[in-house]
């Protein structure tokens, strides 16, 4: 199983590369997705994971049903307890922000508060190469922003307004 890298690993500070659309369904990308799902599922408190967190500098993140809920109306929710976002782009952010608590599987031992847009719209490709758009508010909007930050080489601690030490906590 892939190890989740921690905040001092240089891969977390580089902008991840886009996945060529022709490669989304290849065994290589599908294997990376399996590795990400296994790594996320091994974390009791993990809600999402970006590919750089397993030392793969590609623009991919996945969400666990801990974020979108087992009864989600998202079309992928009934097939897999993970949602896959390949080459995601936030295409719209609300001007309104709220300060929320965040943690990260790559910043173990720290938690903090950060200002996030209350609503966002994201476009991405799924694991089959199908483009989709999703509007989100609340925890889902927060997760989209946190994970796209990872893909741009940013950690939540970079913009945190307040940080504190905790034991065994965090969200991807």
């Amino acid at each position: 199983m892939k190890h989740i890298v921690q905040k001092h690993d240089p891969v977390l500070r580089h902008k991840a590369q886009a996945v060529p659309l022709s490669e989304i369904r290849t065994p290589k990308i599908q294997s990376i997705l399996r590795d990400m799902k296994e790594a996320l599922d091994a974390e009791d408190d993990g809600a999402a994971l970006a590919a750089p967190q397993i030392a793969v500098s590609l623009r991919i993140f996945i969400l666990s049903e801990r974020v979108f809920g087992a009864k989600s109306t998202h079309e992928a929710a009934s097939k897999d307890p993970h949602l896959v976002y390949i080459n995601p782009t936030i295409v719209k952010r609300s001007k309104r922000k709220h300060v929320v608590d965040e943690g990260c599987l790559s910043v173990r031992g720290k938690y903090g508060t950060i200002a996030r847009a209350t609503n966002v719209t994201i476009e991405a490709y799924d694991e089959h190469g199908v483009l989709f758009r999703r509007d989100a508010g609340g925890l889902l909007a927060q997760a989209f922003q946190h994970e796209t930050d990872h893909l741009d080489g940013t950690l939540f601690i970079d913009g945190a307004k307040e940080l504190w030490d905790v034991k065994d906590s965090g969200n991807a």
Side-chain angles (χ1 to χ4, degrees):
M1 178 171 34
K2 291 285 186 176
H3 171 75
I4 295 175
V5 299
Q6 294 302 299
K7 66 183 174 185
H8 298 297
D9 194 304
V11 73
L12 295 173
R13 294 307 191 163
H14 293 105
K15 184 170 183 168
Q17 298 298 307
V19 176
L21 299 183
S22 62
E23 293 182 18
I24 290 176
R25 296 187 69 159
T26 64
K28 173 187 171 188
I29 299 301
Q30 296 301 311
S31 178
I32 291 167
L33 293 174
R34 278 191 302 279
D35 289 345
M36 291 175 68
K37 290 173 184 181
E38 286 177 14
L40 180 57
D41 288 348
E43 300 294 329
D44 291 337
D45 57 352
L49 189 73
Q53 291 180 273
I54 61 163
V56 175
S57 191
L58 290 174
R59 297 190 73 77
I60 303 171
F61 72 79
I62 62 170
L63 299 179
S64 154
E65 69 183 3
R66 293 176 186 137
V67 175
F68 60 85
K71 297 184 191 240
S72 172
T73 59
H74 192 295
E75 59 277 3
S78 62
K79 300 174 193 155
D80 187 337
H82 307 91
L83 298 181
V84 174
Y85 294 77
I86 299 172
N87 298 339
T89 303
I90 294 178
V91 295
K92 186 176 175 186
R93 291 178 198 259
S94 64
K95 290 180 183 174
R96 187 169 164 241
K97 292 187 174 192
H98 58 167
V99 176
V100 293
D101 290 350
E102 271 189 26
C104 181
L105 294 173
S106 291
V107 187
R108 284 293 191 189
K110 292 278 184 200
Y111 219 72
T113 58
I114 187 168
R116 296 285 190 193
T118 57
N119 296 85
V120 299
T121 300
I122 195 167
E123 284 185 348
Y125 291 87
D126 68 13
E127 65 269 36
H128 306 292
V130 176
L131 181 67
F132 65 94
R133 180 181 273 229
R134 177 83 193 261
D135 296 316
L139 182 59
L140 191 55
Q142 181 182 353
F144 287 166
Q145 292 167 84
H146 180 106
E147 298 309 319
T148 55
D149 280 354
H150 270 301
L151 303 180
D152 292 332
T154 301
L155 299 174
F156 88 94
I157 56 176
D158 299 337
K161 301 196 177 298
E162 178 183 3
L163 286 172
W164 60 90
D165 293 330
V166 292
K167 292 185 181 191
D168 298 320
S169 75
N171 290 328

